[in-house]
Amino acid sequence: MQQQNTSNRSLPPIFKDESSIPAEYQVTEIHQREYLLNGELVPWNGPVTNIYSPVCVPTPTGLKKKLLGSIPNTTPKESLEALEAAVAAYNNGLGEWPTMSVEGRIQCMQKFVYLMIQQRSLVIKLLMWEIGKTLADATKEFDRTVEYINDTIDALKEHDRESSRFQQAEGTIAQVRRAPLGVVLSMGPFNYPLNEIFTTLIPALIMGNTILFKLPKHGVLAHYPLLNAFKEAFPKGTVNTLYGRGSEIISPIMESGKVNVLAFIGSSKVANGLKKLHPKVNRLRAILSLDAKNAAIVTKNANLDVAVNECILGALSFNGQRCTALKLIFVQKEVAAAFTEKLSAAVGALKPGLPWENGVRITPLPEDNKPAYLKDCIDDAIAKGAKVMNENGGLQEASFVFPAVVYPVNDKMKLYHEEQFGPIVPVVPFESIEEPINYQVNASHGMQVSIFSEEPTEVAKLIDSFVNLVSRVNINCQAQRGPDIFPFTGRKDSAEGTLSVFDALRSFSIRSLVAAKITESNKNLLNTIVRDHESNFLSTNYIF
Ligand code: G3H
């Protein structure tokens, strides 16, 4: 198998002088000095944290990450104020927002989407600068989020229509609806700083809960243009923002016991630590999306061109920084050489550059320690017998790392076990199909798998083995979350609860019913309440 000659490896220059950046993508520093608390944009005069871009600019002393602005570095005092605002707005379920009619909540959400769309171009630009997402992917993230909100509104309408009738059984008449749970703490990751947070925050909100919204570490300024939309669209205290170090500002909130739902996307270690802080675990519902190291399995019966294309999309979209990314590729020995050669050539041809450049596929990484960590993973694999197979694989320039196809990987290497969350494609040769199955059996996670084969009996056996080990089996395609109407969940340490447009509405609510014995006087009573629109809950209104 051909390994690239390492002597003449070099990358084209990734980082360029600022003056060469097209005017429409240049950015002015944003120094945020306010945060959303109890319906107000409260001024902040305390300490701040600087926000730097993964995009570096040349300076007389070398490449430096570009300063994008700064954000409030709020303390536990402000966190607890935000908690109290959310608790007061919920008011034990008696607040304006939790008692508002579904129609009323939908109108508020429609106003929010309208105001959000006004900020589209600025948010997309900030996503590119803050996390290095390509123009195409940043645009997709924004538009997909708007679509998610609109779909959520439609799903709630549909659900409400189904609930807008009475049911009778065993002499009892009842109306069953879904009611909110209370205060939701929503925390999301940097890789989809807008979309992933909104896939919990929006359904939680529209179901009548009040929100504490912890901004992600990277991608925080991208939310600043949207704060006013939250302020304008929802009653005071319904959405409150938290800035600062999670370890300092989140612990007192969880320890208070006043959080009813933890919606968290990140590592299982952090999620478990947060849950344990809650004094009454039975009162805490957790909706979690956590660790994953999804495998691809390429058998000797695969169409190798399809497998290569999909594995590249799966492993290297947004530089491999997706929870759903393919992070380990098993390939059957008979086709290992051919597959790895095609894969290496295709990876070598991916265009590196800055997020707004035409056709760019690989961009700088936002996490400071990531290039060193990726180098460590590659060095560990090389020391244990693997090689970097593609041209320029693993080459680094400041925050930029060119993807590396590493082969042959085995279970002694870090790359076999650790979630690299970055641009490395580890390839494991296998003889028996039991080997990748055993990988999944022994793994601590269980999100998705991608199977590449065109042989029906083989695919069927793999489907039946994997459906009980992971939560989505992809056939001849990459792993992914979407379409968002499909359930997104995982087994073991990969997830708790299920998200999809519809499932999320269920996850952030509980069924509540009004029931009465069928007597003449009860029938009259309920009919009068419904006819005179006396209750927001007990209602047969049909939402169009
Ligand atoms: O990072 C995890 C995301 O939910 C993945 O979403 O598969 O649509 O990229 P995606």
Side-chain angles (χ1 to χ4, degrees):
M1 199 176 298
Q2 187 75 40
Q3 185 210 348
Q4 289 301 319
N5 180 345
T6 50
S7 52
N8 286 323
R9 304 187 331 145
S10 73
L11 287 172
I14 305 295
F15 301 109
K16 291 122 198 165
D17 200 79
E18 268 187 88
S19 59
S20 70
I21 297 170
E24 67 265 41
Y25 303 124
Q26 291 197 5
V27 71
T28 348
E29 285 177 23
I30 296 176
H31 294 281
Q32 180 180 339
R33 293 293 179 271
E34 54 192 2
Y35 60 103
L36 180 60
L37 169 71
N38 206 20
E40 298 295 330
L41 288 171
V42 177
W44 174 252
N45 301 310
V48 296
T49 303
N50 282 341
I51 302 293
Y52 292 94
S53 174
V55 175
C56 296
V57 286
T59 74
T61 53
L63 288 172
K64 294 270 183 301
K65 288 185 163 190
K66 182 173 165 51
L67 178 69
L68 295 177
S70 53
I71 54 155
N73 192 8
T74 58
T75 69
K77 175 178 167 286
E78 288 76 33
S79 302
L80 290 171
E81 284 170 3
L83 173 66
E84 289 314 321
V87 168
Y90 191 68
N91 188 19
N92 295 307
L94 306 175
E96 178 185 355
W97 185 245
T99 56
M100 192 181 285
S101 66
V102 169
E103 206 163 10
R105 279 191 243 132
I106 287 174
Q107 279 166 7
C108 292
M109 192 60 81
Q110 284 166 331
K111 181 171 179 186
F112 174 77
V113 187
Y114 172 80
L115 294 171
M116 176 180 171
I117 291 169
Q118 319 297 313
Q119 304 297 330
R120 182 175 182 270
S121 54
L122 178 56
V123 174
I124 290 171
K125 186 154 75 170
L126 286 169
L127 287 175
M128 287 193 285
W129 276 100
E130 277 193 274
I131 59 165
K133 198 164 259 194
T134 63
L135 174 60
D137 284 349
T139 304
K140 190 171 159 200
E141 177 162 354
F142 187 94
D143 293 345
R144 175 183 180 183
T145 306
V146 169
E147 203 177 320
Y148 191 94
I149 300 174
N150 287 329
D151 288 349
T152 298
I153 290 172
D154 288 344
L156 180 57
K157 280 183 184 172
E158 187 54 38
H159 172 73
D160 196 77
R161 287 174 195 138
E162 282 166 17
S163 318
S164 67
R165 64 188 186 88
F166 285 85
Q167 300 172 35
Q168 290 186 31
E170 298 173 29
T172 300
I173 184 164
Q175 188 174 36
V176 186
R177 286 185 178 278
R178 298 202 76 91
L181 294 159
V183 173
V184 175
L185 170 61
S186 180
M187 302 171 68
F190 78 82
N191 61 333
Y192 281 87
L194 184 70
N195 183 264
E196 290 241 87
I197 289 186
F198 277 28
T199 59
T200 61
L201 186 153
I202 296 294
L205 194 49
I206 207 167
M207 292 312 287
N209 302 284
T210 59
I211 310 290
L212 288 170
F213 170 17
K214 161 74 173 70
L215 278 291
K217 192 168 156 208
H218 307 284
V220 53
L221 284 173
H223 283 278
Y224 185 35
L226 304 179
L227 291 191
N228 192 52
F230 280 118
K231 172 180 170 294
E232 292 299 319
F234 302 105
K236 75 169 196 164
T238 307
V239 180
N240 306 277
T241 51
L242 304 169
Y243 298 84
R245 289 174 65 87
S247 52
E248 288 166 16
I249 61 171
I250 299 302
S251 301
I253 291 177
M254 291 303 289
E255 283 163 358
S256 74
K258 294 177 182 174
V259 170
N260 302 95
V261 186
L262 172 66
F264 176 87
I265 300 171
S267 78
S268 62
K269 195 172 155 209
V270 174
N272 292 339
L274 289 175
K275 280 172 77 173
K276 283 181 194 151
L277 293 176
H278 199 289
K280 296 207 171 176
V281 179
N282 60 304
R283 291 196 192 179
L284 180 72
R285 183 179 288 192
I287 311 297
L288 312 174
S289 185
L290 307 170
D291 318 339
K293 189 169 169 81
N294 296 333
I297 301 168
V298 182
T299 80
K300 60 181 188 292
N301 300 307
N303 176 325
L304 293 189
D305 293 321
V306 170
V308 165
N309 277 339
E310 291 291 323
C311 284
I312 286 180
L313 282 176
L316 294 173
S317 296
F318 191 35
N319 312 308
Q321 301 165 120
R322 294 160 61 229
C323 57
T324 46
L326 293 175
K327 299 188 180 107
L328 196 60
I329 299 182
F330 287 88
V331 58
Q332 205 152 21
K333 280 201 170 140
E334 290 88 328
V335 292
F339 173 79
T340 309
E341 205 160 304
K342 279 175 185 273
L343 180 72
S344 302
V347 170
L350 294 175
K351 183 178 170 185
L354 299 181
W356 40 84
E357 290 173 359
N358 212 5
V360 74
R361 297 283 295 276
I362 307 293
T363 53
L365 308 173
E367 291 175 291
D368 284 339
N369 55 357
K370 193 46 80 74
Y373 170 72
L374 295 174
K375 180 176 183 313
D376 184 48
C377 288
I378 294 173
D379 290 349
D380 170 75
I382 290 173
K384 291 168 183 161
K387 290 173 178 143
V388 172
M389 306 302 293
N390 60 307
E391 193 178 351
N392 296 333
L395 282 193
Q396 305 195 353
E397 184 186 9
S399 54
F400 181 87
V401 179
F402 194 77
V405 176
V406 181
Y407 178 89
V409 165
N410 63 43
D411 63 2
K412 306 287 177 294
M413 300 172 187
K414 283 184 184 197
L415 280 174
Y416 190 93
H417 302 281
E418 293 182 17
E419 184 178 357
Q420 68 269 34
F421 214 78
I424 302 183
V425 193
V427 182
V428 185
F430 72 89
E431 271 173 46
S432 150
I433 204 70
E434 302 310 319
E435 294 170 47
I437 294 175
N438 283 336
Y439 160 78
Q440 198 64 61
V441 167
N442 295 318
S444 58
H445 48 80
M447 186 187 278
Q448 298 192 17
V449 69
S450 286
I451 294 166
F452 294 93
S453 167
E454 302 205 318
E455 209 288 302
T457 309
E458 179 176 68
V459 173
K461 175 180 160 43
L462 286 170
I463 289 173
D464 289 354
S465 303
F466 275 95
V467 282
N468 292 344
L469 292 170
V470 298
S471 289
R472 174 163 164 167
V473 176
N474 302 285
I475 308 296
N476 293 318
C477 69
Q478 65 150 327
Q480 61 187 3
R481 175 179 179 144
D484 288 324
I485 57 152
F486 288 154
F488 178 52
T489 184
R491 297 167 183 274
K492 299 185 190 169
D493 291 343
S494 285
E496 194 172 329
T498 301
L499 293 174
S500 74
V501 169
F502 173 70
D503 286 306
L505 296 177
R506 294 173 61 96
S507 294
F508 290 101
S509 61
I510 186 166
R511 276 186 293 179
S512 200
L513 61 144
V514 176
K517 283 199 174 144
I518 306 177
T519 62
E520 273 317 300
S521 66
N522 280 342
K523 278 199 258 178
N524 284 338
L525 182 69
L526 298 181
N527 269 333
T528 307
I529 292 172
V530 168
R531 187 196 61 216
D532 295 347
H533 306 292
E534 300 269 9
S535 164
N536 281 335
F537 185 97
L538 198 75
S539 157
T540 53
N541 276 0
Y542 188 91
I543 302 181
F544 289 97

